[in-house]
Amino acid sequence: HIFFFLSLLYFCIYFLDNIDQISFDINLKQNGIKLSLSFLFSFLSIYFNAYAWKSIVQWFGTECKRNNLVSFYVFSNFLKYVPGGMWHFVERFNFLQKISNPQIALYSTIIEPFFMLSASFLLASLGVFFSPFYFGLILPLIFLNRKLIYIVLKRLDSLKGKALEVLKIVNSQEQFEKSINIISFFPTRAFLFEIGFVLTKFIGFYICLNTFYINNTLNIIFLLVIFSLSWSLGLIVPGAPGGVGVFEACLLFFIGGNIPQNIILVILIYF
């Protein structure tokens, strides 16, 4: 919570310090198509995320032939921004309970952010070309398999304690082994959808960046690494609804002086 408020404060100070240089005038005739494409890719990313969630449910052994799971996920995504930061979790759990058992509903819901984190960290690990430090970002991916997944679930259990209290669900390894029938060693399909989620989100950002910063000569891998790392930090920081504030503050910090301050602020606000 402290990191969230500090990030939000950093972004606000950065914004107010440069507000006299910021222009929100935009030529829609010239840039309207680019901004529409940016929005389209950002919206498309939610569907990649939804199909990833559906694939996670299937990986845990539940048949989901209809796409109502996908449409429900997209709809419930807006609940991330409701105060409390747990109502999207509760609604997805309730929805899954109708087509599976409480354990599958619980585990597939709380594990999904870890899939997102593993995917974004893997993309951020491309920064190994710039520094060996980034190689360590592949660590979450090691736990994403049938043998080690319960360790992750147990840790997420403690982080989602408030939600589990509301749902009155007891999480134990015995219940996990009895009620879950994982169909493969590694959740390839779900993970590829999560990679697609982060990439489409990045493409939306990249189009937005090039709309306002026509002199962009930055390495696209460098930008992908910064974007993925900033988005990951927004995901894992408690108290940040949908990563709001943390993502922007981290991106501003990591990108430094590579893009003029007034331009990067406009890009972040429109994005």
Side-chain angles (χ1 to χ4, degrees), residues 198-230:
V198 181
L199 284 177
T200 47
K201 207 168 184 65
F202 169 72
I203 292 169
F205 169 78
Y206 190 72
I207 293 171
C208 194
L209 186 150
N210 283 286
T211 301
F212 295 100
Y213 188 42
I214 56 175
N215 298 319
N216 176 32
T217 56
L218 291 174
N219 186 305
I220 192 169
I221 300 298
F222 170 74
L223 287 170
L224 176 60
V225 169
I226 286 178
F227 178 89
S228 300
L229 195 56
S230 301

Side-chain angles (χ1 to χ4, degrees), residues 65-76:
K65 293 180 181 178
R66 294 180 298 172
N67 278 336
N68 59 344
L69 202 67
V70 171
S71 56
F72 178 80
Y73 182 96
V74 173
F75 173 76
S76 64

